[in-house]
Amino acid sequence: MSLSDIQNHISSAVSKANRKLDTVRLIAVSKMQPNERVASVLDQGHRYFGENRVQEAASKWPDFRKIYGKVSVDLIGPLQTNKVRQAMELFQAIHTVDRLKLANTIARIAQEIGSCPQLFVQVNTGEEPQKAGIFPGETDGFIASCRALDLPIAGLMCIPPVDEEPSLHFALLAKIAERNNLSGLSMGMSGDFESAIALGATHVRVGSAIFGARP
Ligand SMILES: *Cc1c(COP(=O)(O)O)cnc(C)c1O
């Protein structure tokens, strides 16, 4: 598929759900993709991307921004505390706030530099031991702790288990967000972004369906 195919699929999913098109943002996940493919999507006018490694993004986006101007790039992968400062300078949003130590570090640096990217709390909806994220039962308390640190929490993010029906996880994430008065829902990837939109996704993270398989 191409960028415009995905945009068309998003449009129809949005209208089927009786939602407005400007309530869903397409994050083109460019991790590990060759620069020519990323440049082609930039050439088509798209300006919203996602990366899952700080180092990789730092080696790529300052150069693209010199050519294409303002491009929004979000971090959708794990963040180590020693990379927080660099991440806060590079990214417009961080979708993977998943522990208190990280929240504390972000809060300290935000006070120091006077700004902070948009933040999403990553929820481990499937309670998978190998996966990052706050367990559903601990999420309300974690959001409260983040708010006590004055962090700008925009919403929640999840990556459903590969072998389960994703819509159950999307519905759970939406429920936790609603009871915490959070409007942002970062959910849905190449295989399931349409059902994520039906369940309220505001940020869909689509990689291989736009760029092709990662080499
Ligand atoms: C890689 C990745 C995606 C995109 O996955 P595709 O299946 O290629 O669309 C979305 N979200 C996260 C967190 C990822 O790491």
Side-chain angles (χ1 to χ4, degrees), residues 29 31 52 76 157 159 189-191 205-209 214:
V29 178
K31 66 180 183 203
N52 77 339
I76 61 167
M157 177 269 213
I159 308 169
M189 312 189 354
S190 288
R205 311 178 307 265
V206 181
S208 44
R214 285 177 283 277

Side-chain angles (χ1 to χ4, degrees), residues 87-166:
M88 289 173 71
E89 286 161 0
L90 199 53
F91 298 108
Q92 277 60 56
I94 296 171
H95 292 235
T96 48
V97 179
D98 61 357
R99 58 199 193 280
L100 202 53
K101 188 178 176 210
L102 179 59
N104 278 317
T105 307
I106 294 172
R108 177 170 52 75
I109 296 173
Q111 287 205 337
E112 202 183 302
I113 65 180
S115 70
C116 189
Q118 231 188 12
L119 302 176
F120 291 78
V121 171
Q122 183 174 355
V123 183
N124 187 350
T125 54
E127 304 193 14
E128 296 172 281
Q130 81 285 6
K131 204 171 264 178
I134 308 288
F135 279 11
E138 289 156 16
T139 304
D140 294 357
F142 184 76
I143 293 166
S145 305
C146 290
R147 285 177 166 155
L149 290 166
D150 272 336
L151 289 177
I153 303 293
L156 305 179
M157 177 269 213
C158 76
I159 308 169
V162 285
D163 53 354
E164 285 181 29
E165 172 53 46

